[in-house]
Amino acid sequence: MTALDSVQDGSPAMNTGTGPTPESARLFRLFGWGVLAVMGAYLLNNYLTYWQDLPGIAPIYGGAANGSLSIVWSWLQLAVYAGFLAAVFVYVMRSTTPLRVDSARISNINTFIIRAAFFAVLIVGLMDSAISFLRIEELLPAIVGQDLADELGKSRFRGAYVHMPLIALSIVIAAFTRTLGFTWLALLVVVAELAIVIGRFVFSYEQAFLADLVRFWYAALFLFASAYTLLEEGHVRVDVFYAGMAPKTKGYVNAIGSVVLGMSLCTTILVLGMGGKQNIINSPILAYEVTQAGFGLYVKYLMAGFLGVFATSMMIQFVAYFLDAIADIRGEPGGRDHENHPVN
């Protein structure tokens, strides 16, 4: 049995009476889960405000409302924050879950989100490429009819009735598989690049949607894999001082860094990107923005959303990293070897 096993199965390793108890970690657990609750409420309210035309919470503080609905809706949206935070409070106060177990649970939630995002870009990319190819070769009307072919040439129709159902399907697939797909997506980027080269130099055939597909998958590969890289401690950092630190000191560095550098960065991206209808993430998504190439992929708006997925997944992982670092400071068993990365 490893140290981590002893934490997860509730054996006496955590309750010897000589070390910190799970009850004393509640403040840190409240902070971590509270950050996630506020972020979840913020994202939900962003959807309600800009997709469902609710007024948002700004009118409560004298700001401009979105739409013309009553301020009562603003109070209901504010109640979303209170409800999420209340759920976190009840969960933390009614349980004595060790910090490392909570950290693992949060990482598992993040893994599911990233897995769903990878399947989404894979399936949407392939389907959109097929539609673009059929449109270029004027084969689409013969397959789906002229009316539907015309509709598929409109970004709002393709986004709402092709992309969104495929994204929902990706979430279902992610629930029944355990692979993250980083390796396969990297391979597909290479295959797509190879197809461009062969098409251009062998068959003298080149279309805009192929280059769009490479950019679409390449951006997803880097942005979605960032949280996983953080989990595996694969990001580049200066180890001149860190490598020689004691485990407890490393815990302080990781905890403070997660809050001051990590969470603050993610918060900045979400606020600046989704703080209004015309902000850099919201605006392209609401307009189903596409590239200027007439027969390219209709996925530019999704690539703007990649920033939101990046910030959200990194925020979740920074919370998990923070809780694990606090466990290192408290000397709880089951910690990582931060030089070799795997769990002890």
Side-chain angles (χ1 to χ4, degrees):
M1 176 180 291
T2 65
L4 182 60
D5 293 329
S6 67
V7 173
Q8 292 175 331
D9 65 17
S11 61
M14 288 298 298
N15 299 290
T16 60
T18 58
T21 62
E23 290 85 350
S24 63
R26 281 199 173 109
L27 181 62
F28 302 107
R29 294 177 61 219
L30 279 172
F31 172 77
W33 284 104
V35 168
L36 298 183
V38 171
M39 182 183 69
Y42 175 80
L43 295 174
L44 177 57
N45 271 322
N46 184 79
Y47 168 77
L48 294 174
T49 301
Y50 302 116
W51 287 82
Q52 300 301 322
D53 290 326
L54 268 62
I57 65 172
I60 297 176
Y61 306 102
N66 177 68
S68 58
L69 292 177
S70 168
I71 196 174
V72 172
W73 289 101
S74 298
W75 285 104
L76 291 175
Q77 287 184 260
L78 184 62
V80 172
Y81 287 93
F84 278 36
L85 289 172
V88 163
F89 183 82
V90 171
Y91 165 71
V92 172
M93 298 308 294
R94 293 185 61 181
S95 65
T96 56
T97 307
L99 288 169
R100 296 201 196 278
V101 175
D102 257 356
S103 176
R105 287 176 179 173
I106 293 170
S107 289
N108 289 338
I109 294 171
N110 206 29
T111 299
F112 171 77
I113 293 172
I114 297 171
R115 187 163 61 237
F118 268 107
F119 276 110
V121 298
L122 170 63
I123 298 172
V124 169
L126 292 175
M127 179 61 72
D128 216 69
S129 295
I131 294 173
S132 295
F133 173 77
L134 292 173
R135 288 186 68 221
I136 292 169
E137 302 302 325
E138 299 182 352
L139 299 173
L140 197 57
I143 297 175
V144 301
Q146 187 62 52
D147 291 341
L148 184 54
D150 292 340
E151 291 296 325
L152 288 172
K154 302 173 182 176
S155 62
R156 286 189 174 275
F157 182 89
R158 198 188 297 191
Y161 296 102
V162 177
H163 296 167
M164 296 306 166
L166 291 177
I167 292 173
L169 174 64
S170 302
I171 295 173
V172 174
I173 294 174
F176 293 95
T177 183
R178 291 295 177 265
T179 177
L180 281 177
F182 297 113
T183 305
W184 291 107
L185 190 58
L187 176 62
L188 287 171
V189 170
V190 175
V191 170
E193 286 280 15
L194 181 62
I196 292 175
V197 173
I198 293 175
R200 177 186 301 171
F201 295 104
V202 177
F203 299 102
S204 298
Y205 182 87
E206 184 177 4
Q207 297 296 340
F209 76 86
L210 290 172
D212 287 347
L213 181 62
V214 170
R215 285 191 289 268
F216 185 59
W217 281 346
Y218 206 57
L221 178 63
F222 276 88
L223 291 175
F224 297 171
S226 294
Y228 178 77
T229 307
L230 176 62
L231 173 64
E232 295 300 320
E233 300 195 348
H235 285 287
V236 177
R237 65 179 170 190
V238 180
D239 286 344
V240 175
F241 301 107
Y242 183 85
M245 294 178 180
K248 186 174 182 179
T249 307
K250 289 181 179 179
Y252 278 110
V253 171
N254 292 332
I256 295 172
S258 294
V259 176
V260 176
L261 301 178
M263 296 182 196
S264 61
L265 171 64
C266 298
T267 300
T268 301
I269 294 173
L270 291 174
V271 171
L272 294 182
M274 307 176 77
K277 183 175 288 188
Q278 300 302 320
N279 288 43
I280 193 170
I281 295 177
N282 280 342
S283 179
I285 296 176
L286 291 169
Y288 290 100
E289 185 175 323
V290 298
T291 61
Q292 296 300 315
F295 291 98
L297 297 189
Y298 284 15
V299 296
K300 185 178 179 181
Y301 75 98
L302 290 176
M303 294 177 71
F306 287 0
L307 288 174
V309 176
F310 165 78
T312 300
S313 61
M314 287 295 284
M315 178 73 87
I316 296 172
Q317 200 58 55
F318 273 123
V319 169
Y321 203 64
F322 169 79
L323 294 179
D324 203 48
I326 295 298
D328 288 339
I329 295 171
R330 290 158 53 85
E332 297 183 6
R336 284 177 174 269
D337 179 351
H338 292 285
E339 295 182 6
N340 297 316
H341 306 321
V343 176
N344 293 330

